[in-house]
Amino acid sequence: MNPHLDKLHPYPFEKLRRLFAEVAPNPGYLPISLGMGEPKHPTPPFIHKALTHSLHGLASYPSTVGSEPLRAAIAGWLERRYGVPPLDAATQVLPVNGSREALFAIAHCVIDPSRRALVMCPNPFYQIYEGAAYLAGAEPYFVNSDPARNFACDYASVPDDVWPRVQLLYLCSPGNPTGAILSLDDWKTLFALADRHGFVIAADECYSEIYHGSTAPLGALEAAHQLGRSGGARPYANLVVFSSLSKRSNVPGMRSGFVAGDPAVIRKFLLYRTYSGGAMSPPVQAASIAAWGDETHVQENRAKYKEKFALVTPLLREVLDVELPDAGFYLWADVRRSGLSDTEFARRLYAEYNVTVLPGSYLAREAHGANPGMNRIRMALVAEVDEGLEAAQRIVRFCRALKSSTYPLPKQTS
């Protein structure tokens, strides 16, 4: 067996199942889960129609590179969304079966394990980054997020002798779970480091279309263009961007996304995926073309999230330290005012009010003397508005009841 498999940590939701293993939730409340970031808003009917009207495509093997209309639709969306010059859809865009599998696979394409490779990740982080690093024969190197810097990672704190070993840098903007967005200055710093040390930047942007202000988040290709990196012999050098329809269009089960950017990296990634079997189903391609070409449903989806966050965040702020994030559909709350740890908070909330949240320590690793997820919880506001509001009201009652609680805390399981 591959010995690197033994390095993998249990997934956060497996840890959550263990935490809840001996807990019977209060039957007086219907269950509400804020644990998993799975969109619950309805899939737009026009996407259903495009999918079902293309089922005849099941009679053909799809190509790994995807159809020309799909690559053109993705390139067109990138150009409209980020104001970048026209992309070469044949060399700079590649459809993938959701961003998760592609984010995992890129490490196997990029990493040379003979060189004591490091994969740099934010901390807390999407767990796929760590698993991809280990199974590609590299080691993860975590850069902690800093609440004092709006949860940005302090890359200036990385020792000079670390950077030459970095072969791949994962980042997520807007971030999971913090919602933080990289600034143009952040990108300028990272591009300079990538040029100096030759590593590839894998920018995970699957939350880019869910934001709470009036300005859309800055994207990686957009930043590269503004910094003069979108042209020349190798446009978007050392940069590949990953995105998905799952959150944008409420189709997590369709498994449709893309990778775009540096044509040299895309060429090698296409070769890798040709062998690993990464082709997208023709009906899914047809539905994806329809989804990338429409913005009305995205605006309606965003409006739902704005309404939900505007109702829920002030309520929770009464009992927890939590603020409206820059973007994304998570609230990243500090629970120390409750007197409980993140795991104790999650366990008792589930037992007493039948609401599931994810302990922040499950999304991070102990690094540089700290676990930056400790004493925080992640709440995924993915359900409809009424359910999200009901969950918030229960959390408020739970926190207020803690002050008068006299019975001992439930035994913690980790």
Side-chain angles (χ1 to χ4, degrees), residues 71-305:
R71 296 197 310 275
I74 294 167
W77 179 79
L78 286 165
E79 294 157 21
R80 295 189 301 273
R81 168 64 172 83
Y82 295 111
V84 298
L87 292 155
D88 184 341
T91 64
Q92 292 181 276
V93 175
L94 185 62
V96 297
N97 294 311
S99 57
R100 174 175 176 160
E101 64 92 3
L103 285 161
F104 180 84
I106 193 66
H108 298 259
C109 179
V110 166
I111 295 300
D112 176 2
S114 69
R115 292 174 40 218
R116 297 177 60 238
L118 291 178
V119 172
M120 189 168 284
C121 307
N123 194 28
F125 60 98
Y126 183 37
Q127 307 293 291
I128 295 302
Y129 308 155
E130 179 189 62
Y134 281 133
L135 290 175
E139 291 289 327
Y141 182 94
F142 297 108
V143 184
N144 291 348
S145 70
D146 182 359
R149 304 177 71 246
N150 192 30
F151 301 105
C153 293
D154 184 10
Y155 292 103
S157 69
V158 177
D160 290 341
D161 61 350
V162 169
W163 288 109
R165 292 181 56 197
V166 176
Q167 295 185 21
L168 178 64
L169 185 150
Y170 283 113
L171 55 83
C172 187
S173 179
N176 172 9
T178 67
I181 298 170
L182 269 68
S183 69
L184 189 63
D185 284 341
D186 294 329
W187 282 112
K188 186 175 182 179
T189 298
L190 291 172
F191 289 146
L193 288 164
D195 289 343
R196 189 177 312 140
H197 300 290
F199 59 79
V200 171
I201 298 173
D204 179 354
E205 297 185 347
C206 67
Y207 298 95
S208 68
E209 304 313 289
I210 301 172
Y211 51 90
H212 308 292
S214 58
T215 303
L218 178 70
L221 296 182
E222 183 181 16
H225 175 56
Q226 292 181 14
L227 294 169
R229 301 175 63 88
S230 60
R234 188 179 172 188
Y236 304 110
N238 298 317
L239 173 66
V240 282
V241 174
F242 298 76
S243 193
S244 166
L245 289 171
S246 295
K247 282 80 173 174
R248 175 188 182 273
S249 299
N250 297 310
V251 287
M254 202 163 78
R255 312 311 304 137
S256 177
F258 68 80
V259 57
D262 185 340
V265 178
I266 297 292
R267 182 173 62 252
K268 290 290 188 180
F269 199 32
L270 173 59
L271 174 64
Y272 174 88
R273 293 176 63 77
T274 299
Y275 276 81
S276 64
M280 184 185 292
S281 163
V284 172
Q285 292 192 49
S288 301
I289 292 169
W292 289 118
D294 180 79
E295 288 299 316
T296 299
H297 77 286
V298 182
Q299 294 163 359
E300 293 170 350
N301 189 46
R302 188 182 305 125
K304 278 190 175 184
Y305 281 111

Side-chain angles (χ1 to χ4, degrees), residues 6 9 14 17 49 65 148 208 212 220 246 260 269 287 289 308 338 366 369 383 404 408 413:
D6 295 331
H9 290 254
E14 175 59 29
R17 282 192 289 273
K49 183 177 179 180
V65 74
S208 68
H212 308 292
S246 295
F269 199 32
I289 292 169
K308 201 179 331 184
S338 73
E366 183 82 17
S404 58
T413 304

